[in-house]
Amino acid sequence: MRVARRLPVLNPKNFELPERHDPRQSGLKYGLKLEDIKPPPTYDHISVPTANRLPTFPRVPADTSLHKKNFKNLTDIIGVEQDPVKNSLKHGQWGIVALNGGYIKFQHFEYMRNIANHNIKKHLFGEYRIPGPWKAITKKNQGTKMGGGKAEISYYVTPVKKFNVILEIGGKTEYSQIKTWIETIAANLPVKAQVVTHDELEEMKAEYFKQEGRSNPFTVKNVIDYNIGGFRTSRFGRLQIKHYLEFS
């Protein structure tokens, strides 16, 4: 028969309780004063629209006669977006900006809408900065022989260029409150995208156009990307190539 063991009796006099300090005095040892404590930010200057959620875009444009099948026209996704309306944040808070060209499908719009609308409350709002799918993409069926003219339309997409703002989020909140889900959206888009503020986006554009205006057309990035002079295969290491000689 198993006998239960009796726990020893503890004497409270053998234990010392920690000293209690006034939390208002905790900053004195760091030389802080009451004037150094900043008040919480106010959001009185931000107005949240009534329709603050993302709308649903149709899978097929309403007027298909304006968006017929045509050439690929890759100039829609090559280069940098020069339009100041498309490459800047309208509300000046946070947005998802494309870092290279690509196509946004209907499924990606639905992915953004489902995550954003689930997290957008009364004090937040979201806005698409690109139109819904409008460019027709054709595709032949599997096993079809080549020839016979251009294939039928398979689906529609929205082309984006570098620095094109895809989605904009704003409201009466701080970035730490929306960081998790807005960065999740940016990481799962078909194009390389990044969450930026208004100042960060302007710095990125200024740095890029500053490099574009140089008299020497060859940069370290061009030399490594296009393997000019065999530098990438013979003279540089793997980490130097990855970071474009930033630490060499």
Side-chain angles (χ1 to χ4, degrees), residues 96 111 115 119 174-188 195:
I96 298 177
Y111 174 77
I115 293 184
N119 294 278
E174 296 182 0
Y175 178 68
S176 59
Q177 303 296 323
I178 65 172
K179 179 179 185 296
T180 303
W181 59 269
I182 193 174
E183 290 185 356
T184 302
I185 294 177
N188 289 278
V195 181

Side-chain angles (χ1 to χ4, degrees), residues 233-248:
T233 56
S234 61
R235 306 189 183 186
F236 293 148
R238 177 175 58 85
L239 291 178
Q240 288 176 309
I241 294 171
K242 180 179 179 181
H243 297 283
Y244 296 110
L245 309 181
E246 291 181 359
F247 56 89
S248 61

Side-chain angles (χ1 to χ4, degrees), residues 8 29 32 39 41 58 71 96-97 117 120-121 124 134 137 141 145 165 168 201 205 210 227 232 237:
K29 61 181 179 180
L32 298 178
F71 299 107
I96 298 177
V97 62
N117 288 351
I120 289 177
K121 308 303 180 183
L124 296 175
W134 59 268
I137 302 296
N141 296 329
K145 294 182 179 180
V165 180
E168 193 166 352
L201 180 57
K205 292 189 295 183
K210 179 181 177 181
N227 197 21
R232 188 171 63 184

Side-chain angles (χ1 to χ4, degrees), residues 134-146:
W134 59 268
K135 184 176 181 179
I137 302 296
T138 60
K139 183 179 179 181
K140 288 182 178 293
N141 296 329
Q142 189 174 5
T144 305
K145 294 182 179 180
M146 298 301 292

Side-chain angles (χ1 to χ4, degrees), residues 31-236:
L32 298 178
K33 298 180 181 179
L34 192 62
E35 294 78 10
D36 298 330
I37 302 176
K38 297 182 180 180
T42 58
Y43 305 102
D44 299 335
H45 61 286
I46 299 175
S47 60
V48 180
T50 306
N52 60 340
R53 295 177 179 267
L54 298 179
T56 303
F57 284 138
R59 187 184 295 266
V60 179
D63 190 359
T64 56
S65 62
L66 301 177
H67 309 288
K68 300 179 180 179
K69 54 184 179 180
N70 208 329
F71 299 107
K72 285 187 176 181
N73 195 14
L74 296 180
T75 55
D76 292 338
I77 61 175
I78 295 177
V80 183
E81 184 59 65
Q82 302 283 352
D83 190 351
V85 177
K86 298 180 180 179
N87 65 4
S88 60
L89 296 177
K90 183 167 63 175
H91 302 285
Q93 288 191 276
W94 310 284
I96 298 177
V97 62
L99 300 181
N100 58 3
Y103 293 124
I104 307 294
K105 297 182 180 179
F106 169 78
Q107 292 84 350
H108 303 128
F109 282 106
E110 286 295 288
Y111 174 77
M112 289 188 286
R113 184 181 65 86
N114 290 333
I115 293 184
N117 288 351
H118 178 74
N119 294 278
I120 289 177
K121 308 303 180 183
K122 293 182 179 180
H123 63 286
L124 296 175
F125 65 90
E127 181 181 351
Y128 284 125
R129 294 298 308 279
I130 55 176
W134 59 268
K135 184 176 181 179
I137 302 296
T138 60
K139 183 179 179 181
K140 288 182 178 293
N141 296 329
Q142 189 174 5
T144 305
K145 294 182 179 180
M146 298 301 292
K150 195 168 181 64
E152 295 299 325
I153 296 176
S154 178
Y155 54 90
Y156 292 85
V157 297
T158 298
V160 295
K161 293 183 178 181
K162 185 172 183 175
F163 296 145
N164 201 328
V165 180
I166 301 174
L167 176 66
E168 193 166 352
I169 301 293
K172 301 180 179 181
T173 184
E174 296 182 0
Y175 178 68
S176 59
Q177 303 296 323
I178 65 172
K179 179 179 185 296
T180 303
W181 59 269
I182 193 174
E183 290 185 356
T184 302
I185 294 177
N188 289 278
L189 290 177
V191 297
K192 188 177 180 181
Q194 181 180 346
V195 181
V196 296
T197 62
H198 180 269
D199 296 336
E200 291 174 350
L201 180 57
E202 295 301 322
E203 289 178 4
M204 290 168 57
K205 292 189 295 183
E207 181 65 24
Y208 179 83
F209 291 119
K210 179 181 177 181
Q211 294 180 357
E212 289 290 315
R214 291 176 179 174
S215 58
N216 183 9
F218 296 102
T219 62
V220 176
K221 187 176 186 304
N222 298 135
V223 172
I224 294 178
D225 286 346
Y226 296 102
N227 197 21
I228 299 175
F231 276 61
R232 188 171 63 184
T233 56
S234 61
R235 306 189 183 186
F236 293 148

